[in-house]
Amino acid sequence: MARDFYAALGVGRDAGTEEIQRAYRKLARENHPDVNKDPKAEERFKEVSEAYQVLSDPEQRRKYDRFGEDFRQVPDDWEQRVGAGAGPRGRRVRSTTTGGGGGFEGFEGIDIEDLLGGFFTGSRGRGGPVPGADQEAELELTVEEAYRGGRRHLNIGGDREYDVTIPPGVLDGQRIRLAGQGGQGSGNAAPGDLFLVVRIRPDRRYRLEGRDIHVELPVTASEAALGATVPVTTPGGEVKARVVAGSSSGRRLRLRGEGMPNRKGKPGDLYAEVKIMVPKRPNKRERELFEELAAVSDFDPRRT
């Protein structure tokens, strides 16, 4: 995965929310495995998805900007620790971390290991118990599994088994924390955590942009011309959509709230793109009707 999330999206560090979203949508469309057959496209798609997942979340972005690629290992109370201005030995400390985020702003000379009180394993040979390291593993899900959530039994490394609760609407690149299931600490120190990084398997039926879901909606020529209510298959089941009379291929129908669920806010929307289909081998009566239509219609799509 890209270590510089801003570079992955091709935006500056001062980019606003809308610019980040536009960049993600453009790159996600270009690199989606269903569209781009380049063998490296799927990896680029995962990179931009992870970058967007972090930079679109204000709190995650703030931590990333300060700690760079180590930001996920930083505890939630890091600001209080900085505000206290002391490491484990009660002294103001120095920064040596300059990863993707460029280190602390306004705290010149802060040592991240001292700041976190040995949060990182192997903190330069300091005596005493050392907390266990955090670990990561990938959790591959189908779009439907990510949409619905639920329980999953996992086997990691052949000898570690877990029952995991997957929240509905989990996104690609999102992390599920299993507290205390990471590396073992030394002495009486607490173990680390295990983070499951969600990877949503590409699906030819669905294209995800954040929480929005895009699908193709096949309709007949008569449904498009006259209008109709037609079924749309979504990860959560079948819903109905109204095709407006006179719709052409490429028209998008927006189904509000039918995208990926969101436990902390608004769900995404589902966009169904009309695709007019005609029979490959029309039967005799169908051919007669098409010929009759061609004879009486003065519609010319090349002149509209």
Side-chain angles (χ1 to χ4, degrees), residues 121-273:
T121 302
S123 51
R124 293 202 290 264
R126 198 177 290 126
V130 177
D134 289 341
Q135 298 177 342
E136 283 190 355
E138 290 198 348
L139 173 59
E140 187 176 77
L141 301 174
T142 65
V143 176
E144 289 91 346
E145 289 171 335
Y147 181 97
R148 294 170 181 159
R151 297 284 290 176
R152 169 74 77 85
H153 184 77
L154 301 180
N155 184 295
I156 298 176
D159 59 350
R160 301 168 64 184
E161 296 192 357
Y162 306 94
D163 287 312
V164 181
T165 299
I166 301 168
V170 68
L171 300 180
D172 192 88
Q174 194 167 330
R175 291 150 53 92
I176 298 173
R177 175 175 176 248
L178 302 183
Q181 299 299 319
Q184 295 300 308
S186 67
N188 296 321
D193 297 332
L194 173 63
F195 290 90
L196 302 177
V197 182
V198 173
R199 295 298 174 215
I200 298 180
R201 191 180 307 152
D203 192 307
R204 61 181 180 80
R205 299 166 298 171
Y206 308 115
R207 177 168 58 84
L208 303 182
E209 287 189 2
R211 294 196 177 276
D212 293 337
I213 302 174
H214 295 256
V215 300
E216 284 189 345
L217 178 58
V219 300
T220 66
S222 59
E223 288 172 334
L226 304 176
T229 298
V230 299
V232 182
T233 300
T234 79
E238 188 177 279
V239 297
K240 299 291 185 180
R242 176 64 185 171
V243 178
V244 179
S247 293
S248 296
S249 286
R251 182 167 192 162
R252 291 201 311 169
L253 311 178
R254 182 183 184 185
L255 282 68
R256 295 180 183 273
E258 295 293 346
M260 296 293 279
N262 185 358
R263 294 184 303 161
K264 298 182 179 179
K266 288 177 56 179
D269 297 328
L270 185 138
Y271 293 89
E273 184 173 316

Side-chain angles (χ1 to χ4, degrees), residues 5-79:
F5 293 148
Y6 292 98
L9 293 178
V11 299
R13 294 186 175 276
D14 58 349
T17 302
E18 291 185 2
E19 182 181 353
I20 288 172
Q21 188 176 67
R22 284 196 302 271
Y24 165 71
R25 287 181 173 176
K26 176 177 180 292
L27 292 169
R29 281 194 297 268
E30 291 175 355
N31 294 288
H32 194 281
D34 287 349
V35 176
N36 191 332
K37 301 307 179 184
D38 183 337
K40 296 181 179 179
E42 183 175 351
E43 186 63 26
R44 290 196 296 269
F45 180 78
K46 290 180 178 179
E47 287 182 358
V48 300
S49 296
E50 182 183 16
Y52 178 71
Q53 176 72 25
V54 172
L55 299 185
S56 63
D57 182 318
E59 180 60 28
Q60 292 278 56
R61 181 178 180 180
R62 200 147 53 95
K63 288 171 69 175
Y64 174 70
D65 285 344
R66 285 160 175 76
F67 296 101
E69 62 191 76
D70 292 323
F71 78 103
R72 289 192 175 106
Q73 302 182 60
V74 177
D76 292 337
D77 65 347
W78 68 268
E79 288 179 299

